[in-house]
């Protein structure tokens, strides 16, 4: 019995190629996709129209399917072409941005830092004016993200992180520990009945980290933990106000929206300036977290990295003094 023939309208089965596609083909493809016109794409790329047409044909041969529908006076993306445009355009934009950054920084001294957003905005950035003034020839790049970056492979020189002692990266240097304090704006405290005992906080809105229960150790730095330590396990405040980031919690306290259980190293400046006032200073909550400086293995010998690291350690010492942290010689040693 003869095999049934494919209908005449069925496209031929393409042989799938696996070699990478030349970047020039992708640039021609994106130019035609933007303009939907070969002539306009050729003008943008400073090529002849026939050269662009050949690149598109070569790309379609590589991919194995048509990417454009050619009409008499117009060009239209196929569904495959639209899918590739959405994927390729951002990738080429990132590549071009990286090339621009490399060109701009070629031959310049620079320090690239990774840390989480709240620490960058509340502790690092407010202090950096001094370093920049004393080191005007060093460029600084801060990558503020909650994602842990691998310093072995990433284009980053050092990391500022928090973790429980014993879990930090090899070679980490201790910056400071952490306590949490009950704080509020002075005008909020002046407008409410005085707080004389821990139970009095129930008269206020309490500001809390809404996702603390999802992260290891963070449940140890919550209001519930603070209540339990003071024998107030069943206490309920006037209301709760939840945020995801330490910066948002402190900003809400500064705006007078309630009492915050805030991290002392991050609010030392606000306490010193009087923008925040500590409530019940004898009732701070100890945190298991410690803040660390980790220098990447490929960066430690560069003079600018050494200068920035030394400056960070001096800033950390000032923070320890500001929050009244008791020195611990064992923990202040480098961890190797």
């Amino acid at each position: 019995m003869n095999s049934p023939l494919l209908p005449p309208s069925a496209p031929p089965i393409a042989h799938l190629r696996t070699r990478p596609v030349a970047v020039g083909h992708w640039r021609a493809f994106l130019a035609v996709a933007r303009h939907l016109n070969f002539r306009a794409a050729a003008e943008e790329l400073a090529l002849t129209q026939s050269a662009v047409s050949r690149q598109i044909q070569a790309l379609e041969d590589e991919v194995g399917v048509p990417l454009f529908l050619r009409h008499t006076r117009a060009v239209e993306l196929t569904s495959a072409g639209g899918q590739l445009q959405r994927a390729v355009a951002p990738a080429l934009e990132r590549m071009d941005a990286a090339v621009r950054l490399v060109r701009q920084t070629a031959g310049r001294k620079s320090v690239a830092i990774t840390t989480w957003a709240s620490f960058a905005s509340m502790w690092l950035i407010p202090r950096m004016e001094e370093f920049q003034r004393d080191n005007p020839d060093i460029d600084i790049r801060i990558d503020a993200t909650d994602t842990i970056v691998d310093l072995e492979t990433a284009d980053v020189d050092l990391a500022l992180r928090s973790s429980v002692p014993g879990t930090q990266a090899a070679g980490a240097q201790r910056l400071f520990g952490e306590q949490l304090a009950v704080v509020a704006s002075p005008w909020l405290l002046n407008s409410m009945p005085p707080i004389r005992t821990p139970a009095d906080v129930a008269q206020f809105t309490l500001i809390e980290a809404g996702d603390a229960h999802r992260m290891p150790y963070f449940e140890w730095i919550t209001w519930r933990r603070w209540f339990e330590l003071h024998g107030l396990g069943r206490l309920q405040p006037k209301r709760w106000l939840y945020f995801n980031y330490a910066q948002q919690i402190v900003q809400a306290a500064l705006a007078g929206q309630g009492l915050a259980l805030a991290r002392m190293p991050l609010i030392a400046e606000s306490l010193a300036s009087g923008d925040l006032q500590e409530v019940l200073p004898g009732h701070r909550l100890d945190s298991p977290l410690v803040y660390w400086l980790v220098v990447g293995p490929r960066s430690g010998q560069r003079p600018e990295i050494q200068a920035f690291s030394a400056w960070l350690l001096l800033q950390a010492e000032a923070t320890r003094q500001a929050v009244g942290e008791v020195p611990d010689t064992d923990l202040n040693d480098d961890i190797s």
Side-chain angles (χ1 to χ4, degrees):
M1 180 176 180
N2 295 329
S3 300
L5 297 176
L6 293 173
S9 59
I13 299 174
H15 175 67
L16 297 180
R17 302 184 181 183
T18 58
R19 66 186 181 189
V21 177
V23 174
H25 292 354
W26 289 123
R27 294 196 183 279
F29 165 72
L30 291 177
V32 176
R34 276 193 299 272
H35 297 286
L36 295 179
N37 184 286
F38 280 85
R39 180 183 57 78
E43 292 176 355
E44 176 187 324
L45 298 172
L47 297 172
T48 64
Q49 185 171 334
S50 60
V52 172
S53 181
R54 286 194 299 272
Q55 286 186 315
I56 297 301
Q57 185 61 58
L59 177 60
E60 290 176 324
D61 291 342
E62 293 283 353
V63 174
V65 296
L67 302 178
F68 295 98
L69 299 176
R70 281 82 163 172
H71 304 296
T72 304
R73 295 184 178 180
V75 176
E76 180 184 352
L77 275 168
T78 64
S79 59
Q83 181 180 356
L84 286 176
Q85 182 191 33
R86 290 188 294 273
V88 173
L92 277 181
E93 289 173 3
R94 288 195 297 271
M95 183 176 70
D96 290 342
V99 170
R100 286 194 298 270
L101 181 61
V102 169
R103 287 172 173 169
Q104 291 169 2
T105 59
R108 297 178 63 88
K109 293 186 291 184
S110 64
V111 179
I113 307 142
T114 178
T115 189
W116 68 102
S118 291
F119 189 78
S121 59
M122 298 176 68
W123 190 87
L124 179 59
I125 294 174
R127 291 167 168 78
M128 282 185 50
E129 189 275 333
E130 175 187 335
F131 182 84
Q132 293 178 301
R133 183 186 65 242
D134 295 340
N135 301 272
D137 60 333
I138 299 178
D139 298 331
I140 304 294
R141 176 166 62 88
I142 299 176
D143 179 19
T145 175
D146 291 338
T147 303
I148 299 298
V149 174
D150 184 358
L151 297 182
E152 294 276 357
T153 58
D155 185 22
V156 174
D157 298 310
L158 55 86
L160 299 172
R161 296 172 176 164
S162 67
S163 69
V164 175
T167 65
Q168 72 277 6
Q173 296 173 277
R174 186 181 189 274
L175 297 176
F176 35 75
E178 180 176 79
Q179 283 188 317
L180 289 93
V182 180
V183 298
S185 68
W187 72 263
L188 174 65
L189 297 175
N190 292 334
S191 66
M192 296 287 290
I195 301 176
R196 295 190 175 91
T197 68
D200 292 336
V201 303
Q203 304 171 85
F204 293 78
T205 297
L206 299 186
I207 307 169
E208 177 76 290
D211 56 356
H213 64 284
R214 298 191 183 99
M215 293 175 280
Y217 307 109
F218 277 27
E219 288 190 356
W220 287 79
I221 57 176
T222 61
W223 276 109
R224 286 299 171 196
R225 174 67 174 165
W226 191 86
F227 291 163
E228 291 170 1
L229 288 178
H230 295 92
L232 302 170
R234 297 185 179 181
L235 185 69
Q236 287 293 334
K238 178 180 177 182
R239 71 173 62 87
W240 292 100
L241 182 58
Y242 295 103
F243 294 100
N244 287 342
Y245 295 100
Q247 179 186 7
Q248 296 169 340
I249 291 172
V250 172
Q251 190 61 44
L254 287 166
Q257 296 175 12
L259 302 182
L261 193 59
R263 300 175 173 193
M264 287 292 294
L266 304 187
I267 61 168
E269 299 296 323
S270 295
L271 290 173
S273 67
D275 293 332
L276 285 177
Q277 182 174 326
E278 184 175 2
V279 180
L280 302 170
H283 295 80
R284 293 181 183 178
L285 177 64
D286 289 327
S287 164
L289 297 174
V290 170
Y291 295 72
W292 309 93
L293 163 63
V294 186
V295 178
R298 296 177 288 109
S299 304
Q301 299 305 311
R302 285 164 37 205
E304 62 270 29
I305 304 302
Q306 295 173 352
F308 194 80
S309 298
W311 173 81
L312 279 173
L313 294 175
L314 288 175
Q315 296 300 311
E317 181 181 359
T319 296
R320 292 195 299 271
Q321 293 176 357
V323 301
E325 181 174 324
V326 177
D328 186 323
T329 55
D330 293 331
L331 288 178
N332 278 317
D333 290 340
D334 294 358
I335 307 298
S336 59

